[in-house]
Amino acid sequence: MFKLALKNILYYKGRSVTTFLLTFISAFFFIVYVAFMDGSHSSMLKNALDVYTGSLQIYQKEYRDKGGYDYLIEENQKVFEILSDIEGIKAYSSRLETFGIASSKKHSAAMMLTGVDFSKEAKLSQLQKALQEGLYDSTGTCLYMGSELAKKLQLTIGDEVSFVGSAIDYSFVAELFKLCGTFKTGMYDFDRQSAFMNRPYFDTIFLSQNSSSYIVSMAEQMSDNDSIAHQISRDLPTDLRVYTWEELMKSMVELMKIDSLFGYISISLFFLVIFFVIMIYGFINVSTRIKEFGILKSIGLSDRDIDRLLFYEIFILTTGALMLATPLGSWLVYYFEIYPIVIPGMSEIYKEYGVVSDEVPTRFEPLTIIWNVLVVFFLNLLSILYPMFYVRSFTPVEAMRHV
Amino acid sequence: MIQLKGVNKYFYQGEPREVHALRDIDLTIEKGEFSVISGTSGCGKTTLLNAIGVLDSISDGEIILDGKEIANLSAEAKTEIRLHEIGFVFQAYNLVPVLTAEENIGLIMRMQGFDDAQISQRVREIATLLQIDDKLDSLPNLLSGGQQQRVAVARAVASKPKIILADEPTANLDSSNSKALMNMMQTLNEKEGVTILFASHDNYVVESVRRIIRLDDGALVT
């Protein structure tokens, strides 16, 4: 039966070529499309997490809802001890955020000033790598400022900038800083609002020793993140809570889910068209062969044998097309992951989506490719069900008389 | 060997255009017979042949093959009967176009589960007998009508069925090919002991057989 199916494939060339090509194109397109979609999503996430957010953050329970100095973590050292006992954490550090007005000689702007440990941040975030001009690891009154904020305040390296805000006891703070370095992460809002300074001097002027807005950590493997979060939760004091990146980046995760959903809806429509074209071609081919099936039935082939014949035909065509499309699609995806396509200006257009590079990210993920290929495989097999059902509706005599 | 008892066949039963194609057929065909169902066009020859070959259902009556009623079996069981007990030769040859002559002849044996060596030996034996052993590698469309019909006969005979049913096998052949085919069928009947039942209105066929079963408007003429 397998040999007969093979001979039928070679004999009915039109149907075979059409089915083969459509299967090849749909599988190839699906592999590449999903790789680009997943690539852009994982890149957006990676950028967002690597740049600053980290994979886990620990807060005082009320802080994220109410904010302010009343809900700071006041036991940094205790939390650090918990984190140091857990395996799989690459780095951790505390951050204290405060908000105020920054002014140059000509301009003023709202600014989020964060006290950080620059040496720990170098392992935890992309702040050091994002250095655009000047110094990263600054001390004393030095500020490390977002490039867009510096631009807005019309500051250059070495210029003075004043800051007015409040210390954590709500006393008035006014300080004159010096711009020592600028960074550009590519996250536009972040670069337009943020500035960093070394923690020892920050604590001196804001009276914030051993306190933090939150403690951030980064897992060595993102896949271990949930189990690390679970271990931290178990040991944390009851007034603290650990948030995973999915909770911290909820809106971005939902945005990506919606984007994926629309992506899959678009490609489903494409598949629907391909599915019906393959089915229609299969049906037309089967319709022209009704007499042949009548002959086969009359000499003793059962309906099940005919089904098997049709199944083998679509199976051989589909497998052949997928055996070609899978390595080619995988190779292309792998190639683009190593040598991404560069579209100049793309990061500027999509900066609000966290796109920080002009490279189009592609994700080579063998498991994703396998399920992509299986979807095409099963859709093709499904496409032969109706033709099978149609052939079954004929008795041998009716089929042999069919014109 | 084959017994038909009170067989009736209606087309479009219960409708104004109802056709009573077979009328109370009582018939016995013994093992090794070489017979023809004869009659004018539209008298029911093919319908009777299809009924005996369980290709088509009957409206009423019984068809008994070797003591077993076969007309009212399930579709699967009828398929098994056609595969193992009956060989068919059709007017239009009805060869599978993608298979060579050799593969067409061996197709039924392959479906029956014979191994390659057994199939090959039997195919060559029959092909030699029917003088098509030099055409075994050809596809049907490269063979003449006479050669295609011989391949069809070889396919029907190869698996050694109990009976061969041949529906107007000479209708598309010229007289010399018709004679050759009938000679071969006679040889098969004698050498292989195969029961052969034709449906034909070809005078040469009718004159060549030992028993003539006459049909008129669906009824046997005694």
Side-chain angles (χ1 to χ4, degrees), chain B residues 108-126:
Chain B
I108 295 172
M109 289 184 75
R110 196 166 293 282
M111 294 306 303
Q112 289 175 339
F114 286 95
D115 63 38
D116 286 351
Q118 288 172 307
I119 295 169
S120 179
Q121 187 189 350
R122 177 67 176 158
V123 167
R124 285 182 191 284
E125 189 180 310
I126 291 294

Side-chain angles (χ1 to χ4, degrees), chain A residues 191-236:
Chain A
D191 292 346
R192 199 178 55 173
Q193 295 165 358
S194 311
F196 295 87
M197 65 179 292
N198 66 86
R199 191 65 198 266
Y201 192 66
F202 185 97
D203 287 343
T204 306
I205 57 175
F206 289 94
L207 311 172
S208 54
Q209 283 81 359
N210 203 31
S211 297
S212 59
S213 303
Y214 60 94
I215 291 168
V216 59
S217 78
M218 183 63 110
E220 280 171 5
Q221 301 289 333
M222 289 302 278
S223 53
D224 297 335
N225 205 43
D226 287 345
S227 81
I228 291 171
H230 182 70
Q231 288 178 65
I232 295 171
S233 293
R234 201 180 48 200
D235 299 334
L236 271 184

Side-chain angles (χ1 to χ4, degrees), chain A residues 365-397:
Chain A
E365 176 59 64
L367 275 178
T368 305
I369 291 171
I370 289 170
W371 80 253
N372 293 165
V373 169
L374 286 178
V375 166
V376 179
F377 183 74
F378 284 114
L379 273 179
N380 268 33
L381 296 192
L382 274 182
S383 73
I384 204 64
L385 287 184
Y386 180 65
M388 276 179 183
F389 184 72
Y390 181 69
V391 174
R392 272 178 174 255
S393 68
F394 289 91
T395 66
V397 173

Side-chain angles (χ1 to χ4, degrees), chain A residues 20-163:
Chain A
F20 187 93
L21 280 180
L22 286 174
T23 307
F24 172 82
I25 291 166
S26 55
F28 184 81
F29 182 74
F30 195 30
I31 290 169
V32 175
Y33 179 89
V34 172
F36 277 126
M37 190 166 72
D38 285 357
S40 65
H41 288 167
S42 63
S43 168
M44 281 160 66
L45 256 183
K46 191 174 187 309
N47 290 337
L49 302 184
D50 284 356
V51 166
Y52 189 61
T53 308
S55 62
L56 291 169
Q57 290 182 4
I58 298 162
Y59 286 88
Q60 227 264 33
K61 276 183 178 166
E62 306 285 324
Y63 185 85
R64 285 183 66 81
D65 295 328
K66 298 178 179 170
Y69 293 140
D70 295 338
Y71 304 102
L72 296 178
I73 297 172
E74 291 170 352
E75 300 164 292
N76 281 353
Q77 204 50 46
K78 193 172 179 182
V79 178
F80 288 163
E81 282 167 15
I82 293 169
L83 294 177
S84 65
D85 288 342
I86 293 171
E87 280 185 23
I89 296 177
K90 188 166 78 176
Y92 55 84
S93 183
S94 66
R95 291 172 184 163
L96 207 151
E97 294 171 348
T98 184
F99 301 86
I101 302 291
S103 302
S104 64
K105 284 177 181 168
K106 291 180 182 171
H107 299 280
S108 292
M111 183 171 86
M112 181 181 80
L113 180 61
T114 307
V116 294
D117 181 330
F118 278 108
S119 60
K120 285 185 179 174
E121 287 292 339
K123 295 177 196 162
L124 195 60
S125 67
Q126 299 287 314
L127 282 180
Q128 185 176 27
K129 287 180 185 166
L131 173 69
Q132 190 185 42
E133 207 178 352
L135 293 172
Y136 163 71
D137 196 359
S138 51
T139 54
T141 58
C142 272
L143 279 190
Y144 186 50
M145 186 180 277
S147 56
E148 295 295 330
L149 181 58
K151 202 159 113 186
K152 193 174 172 186
L153 293 171
Q154 293 189 342
L155 293 170
T156 55
I157 300 298
D159 285 352
E160 286 185 333
V161 54
S162 64
F163 178 82

Side-chain angles (χ1 to χ4, degrees), chain A residues 215-262:
Chain A
I215 291 168
V216 59
S217 78
M218 183 63 110
E220 280 171 5
Q221 301 289 333
M222 289 302 278
S223 53
D224 297 335
N225 205 43
D226 287 345
S227 81
I228 291 171
H230 182 70
Q231 288 178 65
I232 295 171
S233 293
R234 201 180 48 200
D235 299 334
L236 271 184
T238 52
D239 59 330
L240 301 183
R241 195 194 144 180
V242 60
Y243 290 83
T244 62
W245 65 267
E246 284 104 330
E247 294 167 291
L248 295 166
M249 312 290 288
K250 205 171 177 182
S251 57
M252 182 181 267
V253 171
E254 277 173 8
L255 187 76
M256 284 189 298
K257 279 182 183 166
I258 291 167
D259 187 62
S260 293
L261 183 69
F262 279 105

Side-chain angles (χ1 to χ4, degrees), chain B residues 138-149:
Chain B
S138 304
L139 285 172
N141 61 354
L142 298 174
L143 299 174
S144 69
Q147 287 165 338
Q148 286 190 58
Q149 194 58 297

